[in-house]
Amino acid sequence: MAFSADELRVLRRALAIALHPTPLSDEDVQDCLRLAGSVDEAVGEAGRLRAFLLADLARYRNALPGSAAGYLELLQDALAAGYDPRPDDLAALRALRGGPLAAALLERCQVLAERSVRARLAGRSAGSAAPGPRSRLLALPGGRAAARESERPATPAAPSGPRKPGDRPMPKPSEVFPPRRRPAPPPSEERAAG
């Protein structure tokens, strides 16, 4: 993002005011608001340009192998703009790796994809200070996994942790939904007459 000389002057003044708070004149406030509007507009335009670039990249990827030259060029531009390659990109590059440019891009994309996955995993683990116990991975219903699960004896669920004095245990369904009462049989006509 590039600033004009006037925008840089306003930015310097705003930073100086942030470091040494003083009352602002109306002109300073208006200049800061205009600068903020310009920055917001530039960020929005960059987002639209990125969306267009990614849509164009997807179109070229879908038209492979005929669009290989255009796809490789667009992928280089996208990578330079901070794009994380997707599995579709890696698959397309594997199909095109006969060319030197595609082979080099494949190697670069594999490194970037691995770095991205590691960063996401590190972000997840940093988000939870104390990791809880690992739960078992279960397969979808049906198949051999379901048959094995039915053969295992059921184990009672362990308490999640020490209970506090004010904590109530999870209510049973019979406590939440009392049993239905059967409707009383309609009075017979003999009783009504007698």
Side-chain angles (χ1 to χ4, degrees):
M1 182 182 296
F3 291 103
S4 69
D6 188 42
E7 289 172 334
L8 281 176
R9 179 184 54 80
V10 172
L11 186 59
R12 278 193 197 116
R13 229 178 15 201
L15 290 173
I17 291 168
L19 292 173
H20 306 287
T22 58
L24 295 175
S25 68
D26 288 340
E27 181 184 339
D28 288 341
V29 170
Q30 291 302 319
D31 286 345
C32 288
L33 290 175
R34 273 194 297 277
L35 178 63
S38 296
V39 169
D40 288 344
E41 185 179 328
V43 167
E45 185 62 31
R48 285 190 292 275
L49 183 61
R50 179 177 170 80
F52 175 78
L53 177 66
L54 295 180
D56 216 18
L57 183 66
R59 276 194 296 277
Y60 273 81
R61 185 176 51 236
N62 292 336
L64 286 173
S67 63
Y71 172 72
L72 295 175
E73 184 179 330
L74 280 173
L75 183 59
Q76 283 179 320
D77 292 344
L79 292 174
Y83 172 69
D84 281 335
R86 298 198 168 98
D88 293 342
D89 296 310
L90 295 173
L93 288 171
R94 284 185 190 104
L96 298 172
R97 69 177 156 211
L101 179 59
L105 274 174
L106 175 62
E107 189 174 320
R108 180 177 172 196
C109 285
Q110 285 173 331
V111 169
L112 290 173
E114 183 178 333
R115 192 176 302 154
S116 175
V117 168
R118 286 177 191 254
R120 277 185 272 154
L121 290 175
R124 280 192 201 149
S125 64
S128 60
R134 293 186 73 162
S135 60
R136 291 187 305 128
L137 297 176
L138 301 175
L140 294 174
R144 287 187 282 175
R148 276 189 246 128
E149 287 294 323
S150 64
E151 294 170 0
R152 290 186 186 159
T155 57
S160 60
R163 284 191 15 208
K164 297 175 187 166
D167 287 350
R168 282 194 53 194
M170 177 81 83
K172 297 177 188 172
S174 62
E175 294 172 345
V176 176
F177 304 105
R180 289 186 181 174
R181 306 275 182 227
R182 292 192 179 197
S188 63
E189 291 181 21
E190 292 176 5
R191 282 192 177 170

